[in-house]
Amino acid sequence: MAPFAVCTSPHLAHVPRMVTPTSIMFFLFFLQYVSNRHAVGQSSTEQGSLHSHHLQESLHDPQLIPCTCPLFSCQWEGHLEVVVSHLRQTHRINILHGAEIIFLATDMHLPAPTDWIIMHSCLGHQFLLVLRKQEKYEGHPQFFATMMLIGTPTQADNFTYRLELNRNQRRLKWEATPRSVLECVDSVISDGDCLVLNTSLAQLFSDNGSLAIGIAITASKVHTAGTEM
Amino acid sequence: MAPFAVCTSPHLAHVPRMVTPTSIMFFLFFLQYVSNRHAVGQSSTEQGSLHSHHLQESLHDPQLIPCTCPLFSCQWEGHLEVVVSHLRQTHRINILHGAEIIFLATDMHLPAPTDWIIMHSCLGHQFLLVLRKQEKYEGHPQFFATMMLIGTPTQADNFTYRLELNRNQRRLKWEATPRSVLECVDSVISDGDCLVLNTSLAQLFSDNGSLAIGIAITASKVHTAGTEM
């Protein structure tokens, strides 16, 4: 069987931008992947079903997993080792390198549901950042951000990711263990087990409709039983 | 005119508790002030009106301010310098000392709207922490936490407060400039310009129905134009 089959989903726009670097980040990248899932007629529920369906289909070979890109319905399945290649080549999701980076999500005003996606290569592994604008409560869109390791849950347990917003004399930091892409990103977001922003906070942290998210990965767990409150 | 007049609102319960100290905090206190405002028939809207009304009434002496305790409807008004005495003596709100403390809010399961209040003495000033459980969207209670300086807006601009939650391999930090108690806490919370927790996150950070909030105050601003992203 081929390492992966090319899916037929439409490719994503890639919009590089320039902004001023800061002193606290090693790398500064400006990439935006936006897909208004209204436009492709795919809801989170449909994605979840698709994901589960793919997982069931893959039972004939437990090492095969479905496409982990939440932007589009994609029929691809393949081994974990080639997920990154699939995301880069088929979905044109760029990959950023470095322990600490900044991801600039532009056009935050786009209607929900909308996803922003970036891959982050760090400490010998690749991670997927998903920022989702979704209306859990009708008429009240919220933003949900999480990181998934392109690896197994056991591997994911070895890392901590940090998402940081810093603007207008406010700072918001979220740290957690990344989930594995073998889990469903939709359930992480529907559970609210991620960075959650209401619209007013997102506006406070945004600059001209763009939200800069500082991302950092560490290998050693900062949360131990001894330091928990 | 007397420094302050005793209000007629009911006094609050004071529930000291014991938990294990941590290495990162200098002081550990366990105080809970809970008032289910359903029980006293006072909504946030009513409080806001009351506060505005008080402010208008105080125009004859601009140095007189209404009671800043959001727990009960209180007819008291007095000078800023005696607000702390009023809160302690009349509302029995305790005051905790130290640069970093932990506030344990118990009984997080209580129905919205519910407030938890504590005063924090630090760097020569007193601050008021307000944790509020409120249903912005019917059937979906959220938690909102903010700190107010018992002082003027100009004084408040000299400080930064940090609220931190840390449990279950997750950490959430919120840093901002405190508002002055001369502003209305209801508007801060209704604007969502504070630490916001949905129910599922509050449960993840809670231990047996209690939420430990790390509180720290710094005098120098950590947010400058140069470090903003």
Side-chain angles (χ1 to χ4, degrees):
Chain A
M1 188 163 184
F4 62 87
V6 175
C7 77
T8 56
S9 66
H11 291 177
L12 306 175
H14 172 195
V15 187
R17 291 167 186 254
M18 292 301 295
V19 297
T20 308
T22 76
S23 58
I24 60 167
M25 297 295 170
F26 302 140
F27 298 90
L28 200 53
F29 297 89
F30 320 97
L31 300 163
Q32 177 203 12
Y33 293 97
V34 177
S35 166
N36 185 319
R37 285 174 293 156
H38 277 314
V40 296
Q42 183 185 18
S43 69
S44 294
T45 309
E46 288 168 340
Q47 286 182 328
S49 304
L50 180 69
H51 198 279
S52 305
H53 182 58
H54 271 208
L55 282 175
Q56 288 170 356
E57 278 185 340
S58 301
L59 287 179
H60 65 281
D61 182 349
Q63 293 188 321
L64 287 182
I65 64 165
C67 171
T68 57
C69 175
L71 294 179
F72 294 99
S73 171
C74 173
Q75 299 304 313
W76 179 88
E77 63 177 14
H79 291 82
L80 194 55
E81 295 74 17
V82 290
V83 166
V84 173
S85 302
H86 169 71
L87 293 176
R88 295 192 69 171
Q89 296 177 18
T90 304
H91 297 293
R92 290 188 184 170
I93 296 179
N94 215 332
I95 189 162
L96 312 179
H97 299 263
E100 299 192 14
I101 61 171
I102 293 180
F103 172 57
L104 190 69
T106 60
D107 301 317
M108 298 286 285
H109 64 278
L110 285 172
T114 297
D115 279 343
W116 291 257
I117 309 285
I118 197 69
M119 271 195 294
H120 180 194
S121 178
C122 182
L123 301 172
H125 287 78
Q126 283 76 40
F127 301 82
L128 195 65
L129 170 77
V130 178
L131 170 66
R132 178 167 295 175
K133 186 176 186 178
Q134 195 172 44
E135 285 189 12
K136 274 195 175 182
Y137 317 117
E138 198 178 333
H140 300 281
Q142 291 177 293
F143 293 88
F144 304 86
T146 188
M147 290 203 86
M148 317 283 285
L149 174 72
I150 301 176
T152 66
T154 304
Q155 289 174 316
D157 280 344
N158 296 320
F159 297 97
T160 297
Y161 75 95
R162 187 185 74 218
L163 304 179
E164 180 173 342
L165 307 174
N166 182 12
R167 198 169 182 275
N168 274 329
Q169 297 186 325
R170 290 158 184 85
R171 184 176 291 179
L172 186 61
K173 289 185 191 180
W174 164 257
E175 287 180 20
T177 304
R179 302 289 186 93
S180 159
V181 290
L182 300 178
E183 302 178 73
C184 182
V185 68
D186 297 318
S187 64
V188 175
I189 288 173
S190 64
D191 290 346
D193 187 10
C194 54
L195 177 64
V196 184
L197 284 179
N198 55 32
T199 308
S200 55
L201 264 190
Q203 285 174 343
L204 279 169
F205 283 116
S206 296
D207 181 14
N208 200 23
S210 297
L211 185 70
I213 305 176
I215 307 172
I217 306 281
T218 51
S220 56
K221 293 183 183 180
V222 296
H223 309 281
T224 64
T227 62
E228 286 193 2
M229 295 185 294
Chain B
M1 187 162 184
F4 64 88
V6 175
C7 76
T8 57
S9 66
H11 291 177
L12 306 175
H14 172 195
V15 187
R17 291 166 186 255
M18 292 301 294
V19 297
T20 308
T22 75
S23 59
I24 61 169
M25 298 294 171
F26 302 140
F27 297 91
L28 199 53
F29 297 90
F30 319 97
L31 300 163
Q32 176 202 11
Y33 293 97
V34 177
S35 167
N36 185 318
R37 284 174 294 154
H38 276 314
V40 294
Q42 182 184 20
S43 68
S44 293
T45 309
E46 289 168 339
Q47 287 184 325
S49 303
L50 181 69
H51 198 280
S52 304
H53 183 58
H54 271 207
L55 282 176
Q56 287 170 357
E57 279 185 339
S58 302
L59 287 179
H60 64 281
D61 182 348
Q63 292 188 322
L64 288 182
I65 64 166
C67 172
T68 57
C69 175
L71 294 178
F72 293 99
S73 171
C74 173
Q75 300 303 314
W76 178 89
E77 64 176 13
H79 290 81
L80 194 56
E81 294 74 18
V82 291
V83 167
V84 173
S85 303
H86 169 71
L87 293 176
R88 293 192 71 172
Q89 296 177 19
T90 304
H91 297 293
R92 291 187 183 170
I93 296 180
N94 215 331
I95 189 160
L96 312 179
H97 299 263
E100 300 192 13
I101 60 171
I102 293 181
F103 172 57
L104 190 69
T106 60
D107 301 318
M108 297 285 285
H109 63 278
L110 285 172
T114 297
D115 280 343
W116 291 257
I117 309 285
I118 195 71
M119 271 194 294
H120 180 193
S121 178
C122 182
L123 301 171
H125 287 77
Q126 283 76 41
F127 301 82
L128 195 65
L129 171 76
V130 179
L131 170 65
R132 177 167 296 175
K133 186 176 186 179
Q134 195 172 45
E135 286 189 12
K136 273 195 175 182
Y137 317 118
E138 197 177 335
H140 300 281
Q142 291 177 292
F143 294 88
F144 305 86
T146 189
M147 289 203 86
M148 317 283 285
L149 174 72
I150 302 176
T152 66
T154 304
Q155 289 173 317
D157 281 343
N158 295 321
F159 296 97
T160 296
Y161 74 96
R162 187 184 74 218
L163 304 179
E164 180 173 342
L165 307 174
N166 182 12
R167 198 169 181 273
N168 276 327
Q169 297 185 325
R170 290 159 183 83
R171 184 176 292 179
L172 185 61
K173 288 185 193 179
W174 164 259
E175 287 180 21
T177 304
R179 301 291 186 92
S180 160
V181 290
L182 299 178
E183 302 178 73
C184 182
V185 68
D186 296 318
S187 64
V188 175
I189 288 173
S190 63
D191 290 345
D193 186 11
C194 53
L195 177 64
V196 184
L197 284 180
N198 55 32
T199 308
S200 55
L201 264 189
Q203 285 174 343
L204 278 169
F205 283 116
S206 295
D207 182 13
N208 199 23
S210 296
L211 184 70
I213 306 176
I215 306 172
I217 306 281
T218 52
S220 56
K221 292 184 183 179
V222 296
H223 309 279
T224 63
T227 60
E228 286 194 1
M229 295 186 294

